[in-house]
Amino acid sequence: MAKTGLPRILAVAGNVYLEILRDRLLYLVALFTLLMVAAAVLLPPIAAGTEHKIFLDLGLAAIHWLSGLVALLVGSGLINREVDKRTILVVLTKPVSRAEWVVGKHLGLAMVLVLLVGALGLVLLLLLILQGITFALSSLLWAIGFTALEAILLAAIALFFGSFTSSLLAMLMGLAVYLMGHLSQHLVNLARLSQDPGLTRISNFLYLVLPDLERLNLRNLAVYGPEVMPQGSVLISHGLYALAYTAMLLSLTSLIIYRRQF
């Protein structure tokens, strides 16, 4: 990327960032806080002494679900909103390339997602401390960080589908990729057990094409502490995998936008 394009990308990202924040998405932080406080009250009578682990697992899962939902909902409509309002015609008359526009859109949404995941993670951390729940801080931070990475990748997926289809269909397709991305490893294992060559080829193809989102799932490991966490080199490779897949999707999205007539 040329250095001269960075200010333009940041300008687009800043506009997207402020636009999304105006939609009051950060009210999700208040909703998350209320849900976790309710869980802290309701879990002890029914959890039979395991309420601390359940609370931590529930908190990490809620952060994952909320950030993923925002990534898919907002990302699927970022491009179509500009097309429907015809504001993209104004953008294209400015000295901003379509690739810079796509990257700026994603960067703005990524900034919101990092802010959202960070705020939810901070709320969870404070609630854990207030309740006296013991936890491994390093494992918790790794899990929250990889949740943010997954949300950023999901935003790129939603943006990709939104570049050539409607917002609703893009969201549904993104949700399907999300589900398959978390199940692809299990499908490969089931296909091997079935010993069906056709099913094995299909499952292997899906595993290669779709993002392996289970690489970014450290939530269960965070509950049991650092002794079950992967090695640092493995974590770095998984993080680079997510960033590389995101870059590939943004490149494909830019190519589609270049070929579209507005």
Side-chain angles (χ1 to χ4, degrees):
M1 184 184 302
K3 292 183 179 179
T4 55
L6 183 58
R8 296 193 288 269
I9 291 174
L10 293 178
V12 174
N15 289 333
V16 172
Y17 177 80
L18 294 175
E19 180 183 353
I20 296 174
L21 286 185
R22 292 192 194 102
D23 290 337
R24 301 175 182 176
L25 285 177
L26 293 183
Y27 282 159
L28 288 174
V29 178
L31 174 62
F32 174 80
T33 304
L34 291 176
L35 289 175
M36 296 311 298
V37 169
V41 173
L42 297 174
L43 279 177
I46 61 175
T50 61
E51 63 271 11
H52 288 179
K53 285 188 176 181
I54 294 177
F55 183 85
L56 177 55
D57 191 38
L58 180 63
L60 291 172
I63 294 173
H64 173 238
W65 294 332
L66 288 173
S67 61
L69 182 63
V70 170
L72 291 175
L73 281 175
V74 179
S76 60
L78 273 183
I79 292 178
N80 283 310
R81 186 183 306 173
E82 299 277 2
V83 174
D84 293 340
K85 294 180 179 180
R86 311 305 293 175
T87 53
I88 190 173
L89 299 178
V90 178
V91 174
L92 295 179
T93 61
K94 298 180 179 180
V96 179
S97 71
R98 300 192 183 196
E100 291 169 346
W101 183 71
V102 169
V103 174
K105 285 282 186 182
H106 181 264
L107 180 60
L109 177 53
M111 291 163 58
V112 173
L113 292 171
V114 170
L115 177 63
L116 177 63
V117 172
L120 296 179
L122 181 60
V123 170
L124 178 60
L125 180 62
L126 292 176
L127 290 175
L128 290 171
I129 294 174
L130 289 175
Q131 293 184 81
I133 298 176
T134 58
F135 60 93
L137 180 60
S138 61
S139 299
L140 181 63
L141 293 178
W142 275 111
I144 293 174
F146 270 64
T147 298
L149 268 181
E150 181 176 342
I152 291 171
L153 175 53
L154 288 174
I157 292 171
L159 203 65
F160 168 70
F161 288 126
S163 65
F164 61 85
T165 187
S166 67
S167 299
L168 177 59
L169 190 55
M171 186 187 67
L172 294 176
M173 294 170 72
L175 181 60
V177 172
Y178 164 81
L179 295 174
M180 292 297 295
H182 279 289
L183 294 174
S184 58
Q185 290 185 6
H186 302 292
L187 292 176
V188 170
N189 293 331
L190 287 174
R192 289 174 180 170
L193 291 175
S194 69
Q195 297 182 346
D196 185 336
L199 186 59
T200 301
R201 283 193 296 270
I202 293 174
S203 63
N204 288 335
F205 174 77
L206 291 175
Y207 181 75
L208 291 174
V209 172
L210 298 177
D212 183 8
L213 298 179
E214 276 300 299
R215 294 190 184 197
L216 309 178
N217 181 8
L218 301 182
R219 295 181 298 278
N220 291 333
L221 300 179
V223 174
Y224 297 101
E227 60 274 6
V228 295
M229 291 288 289
Q231 295 181 352
S233 59
V234 176
L235 294 174
I236 292 173
S237 68
H238 290 343
L240 292 176
Y241 168 84
L243 293 176
Y245 208 104
T246 299
M248 181 194 70
L249 286 169
L250 292 178
S251 299
L252 291 174
T253 304
S254 300
L255 181 60
I256 293 171
I257 295 298
Y258 266 116
R259 293 177 175 274
R260 285 190 62 174
Q261 299 295 325
F262 298 105

